[in-house]
Amino acid sequence: MSYRVKLLGAASDLTAEEWQQLATGGDPFVSREFLGAAEDSGAASPALAWQPLHLALREADGQLAGLLPLYLRQHSFGDFSRDWNWPPAWQRAGLDYYPKLVSGIPFTPSPGPRLLARGDAPATLRPALIQAAIEVASECHASSWQCLFVNEAEHALLADAGLLLRRGVQFHWINRGYRDFADFLATFSADKRKKIRREQRAVAEAGLRLETRHGDEIDTALWPALHRHYRDTFTRYGNHPAFPLEFFERVGGELGRRMVVFIAWRDEQPVASAICYRSDSVLYGRHWGSDIDCPGLHFELSYYQGIGYAIANGLTRFEAGAQGEHKLARGFEPSATWSAFWIADPRMRSALADFIRREDKAVQDYGAEMARHLPFRAA
């Protein structure tokens, strides 16, 4: 089947009905709500080097068949591609690294679907999206097309199409049928279990009240405090808080139960919060911040509350973001992530393939070493 290619200047160029036809598993990030709010609020805009060029494939009758989120980028801030050393390598070869094309979620390193197909689309649809993306990259004179943080099903398709697959490591919590948080904690060794309970006790003794709210349960008066928590964490470490207040106000209301926020209250004041999102099966931790210094509060809101929520709601995983070896002691296990790269210049493709092969051994060794530090009792 042949398709017509259309490049879209905004996620909102597709109707809500068309987005709903795409098989996303309820992933909150590849949604009209999340991408539309990010683009309209300026977080994912040309001003921050996120120029939307979403690739839509339509059938002869105009019906949407598939979609690939796609951005033309002039730098790499916020895409977590780990390509810091690549622009100088291109420059030494007499080439320009930017622009590059990225299929990823702005400021969100969460694995998920990228090759979005209508539920009844044929098996040839996703390979057609890959081929169309390569053609667009060539037409844009991009150095590369980077399909970042892909899921397992797409990993194989991208490899079959000849893209370079690069492994990363994140720390994910896996639900192994736990009845509740106490049941999960019972799998820890005694000393590790005591440490978690001590952290939770410190929060309880601080007199804080913990609450879970979904996006559509957060009123307008509460959002400024939650945004302040998010913003201040970024600025404290010299980073740019890309999402403005209006992004959260909008995306919370539109995503509804696909946004989950854990809030700590002191009397009637929200003093700390952790903003998460969820799909049909996975909870995603994204942002944390606090107005107060309370031992154990970060771990309680960012990890333990999320684990309890995932168990209670039958979710299979809790992915609490990039990096963070401290997550090991809380039961988050090293898990492989995958990103795929099409490289325009044959010389650079060969050099990058060699680099990825060598890097992969170190990444696997790192994951294996981290797994030896998990807190669980010996079987």
Side-chain angles (χ1 to χ4, degrees):
M1 179 182 293
S2 61
Y3 301 98
R4 291 190 291 110
V5 177
K6 176 70 173 179
L7 297 181
L8 309 176
S12 57
D13 285 352
L14 292 183
T15 67
E17 291 73 20
E18 287 177 316
W19 275 96
Q20 289 169 3
Q21 295 171 13
L22 300 171
T24 66
D27 187 291
F29 305 120
V30 287
S31 68
R32 189 177 191 268
E33 294 85 357
F34 187 93
L35 295 178
E39 292 167 8
D40 292 346
S41 69
S45 67
L48 290 180
W50 292 92
Q51 181 180 339
L53 287 177
H54 305 309
L55 195 162
L57 294 186
R58 293 191 179 274
E59 297 174 352
D61 61 1
Q63 186 175 12
L64 179 70
L67 178 73
L68 176 73
L70 197 60
Y71 293 92
L72 188 67
R73 307 227 57 207
Q74 301 294 339
H75 60 65
S76 297
F77 173 69
D79 63 29
F80 297 89
S81 55
R82 298 188 295 133
D83 61 354
W84 316 287
N85 297 324
W86 298 3
W90 258 252
Q91 187 176 33
R92 288 193 295 271
L95 302 169
D96 292 325
Y97 185 67
Y98 299 106
K100 67 175 187 176
L101 279 174
V102 167
S103 292
I105 311 304
F107 309 102
T108 309
S110 295
R114 301 292 179 260
L115 306 169
L116 308 180
R118 201 177 64 222
D120 61 350
T124 56
L125 186 280
R126 288 182 174 86
L129 279 170
I130 295 172
Q131 185 57 43
I134 293 171
E135 293 171 2
V136 170
S138 297
E139 292 167 2
C140 291
H141 303 289
S143 69
S144 56
W145 166 47
Q146 305 179 1
C147 201
L148 304 177
F149 299 100
V150 301
N151 61 22
E152 287 293 330
E154 295 174 351
H155 169 280
L157 289 171
L158 291 160
D160 289 345
L163 276 73
L164 302 176
L165 272 293
R166 189 183 187 193
R167 188 194 311 258
V169 173
Q170 291 183 358
F171 297 94
H172 298 167
W173 177 84
I174 312 299
N175 189 350
R176 294 190 166 83
Y178 304 112
R179 296 185 300 274
D180 51 28
F181 187 84
D183 188 35
F184 162 65
L185 204 58
T187 65
F188 281 39
S189 63
D191 58 330
K192 300 294 185 181
R193 185 166 57 249
K194 289 177 182 177
K195 181 178 180 180
I196 304 299
R197 287 175 173 164
R198 186 164 56 247
E199 291 171 344
Q200 292 188 304
R201 189 163 56 249
V203 174
E205 292 172 350
L208 301 177
R209 174 171 58 88
L210 305 183
E211 182 184 28
T212 301
R213 292 196 190 184
H214 294 94
D216 54 0
E217 298 170 328
I218 300 173
D219 54 47
T220 303
L222 180 55
W223 271 121
L226 304 185
H227 183 260
R228 181 181 68 248
H229 298 156
Y230 152 76
R231 181 198 64 211
D232 289 355
T233 297
F234 273 76
T235 55
R236 186 178 302 120
Y237 294 100
N239 295 320
H240 174 65
F243 294 116
L245 172 60
E246 54 266 31
F247 165 81
F248 289 106
E249 291 177 326
R250 172 174 160 180
V251 82
E254 293 184 356
L255 284 179
R257 295 190 66 83
R258 285 191 287 168
M259 174 183 274
V260 186
V261 184
F262 305 110
I263 308 169
W265 297 80
R266 173 169 284 167
D267 298 325
E268 299 305 313
Q269 296 300 315
V271 296
S273 60
I275 298 174
C276 302
Y277 299 85
R278 61 163 294 180
S279 69
D280 295 346
S281 59
V282 181
L283 182 67
Y284 305 93
R286 298 297 343 127
H287 310 297
W288 138 268
S290 178
D291 297 327
I292 63 173
D293 183 12
C294 175
L297 183 56
H298 168 58
F299 303 125
E300 181 65 57
L301 286 186
S302 298
Y303 306 136
Y304 309 148
Q305 289 292 304
I307 291 171
Y309 179 94
I311 294 171
N313 287 272
L315 305 182
T316 61
R317 300 171 72 87
F318 176 20
E319 301 179 4
Q323 303 173 343
E325 294 174 1
H326 59 278
K327 296 170 187 168
L328 285 166
R330 279 88 198 170
F332 288 76
E333 306 177 32
S335 303
T337 64
W338 293 96
S339 294
F341 299 83
W342 175 85
I343 308 299
D345 185 87
R347 296 171 299 161
M348 300 310 295
R349 185 189 190 283
S350 177
L352 194 58
D354 180 64
F355 166 78
I356 289 175
R357 278 194 298 270
R358 290 183 285 110
E359 178 191 58
D360 192 64
K361 176 62 165 59
V363 172
Q364 290 189 69
D365 288 347
Y366 170 77
E369 174 61 25
M370 291 301 99
R372 284 193 280 270
H373 297 277
L374 287 166
F376 304 120
R377 298 193 312 266

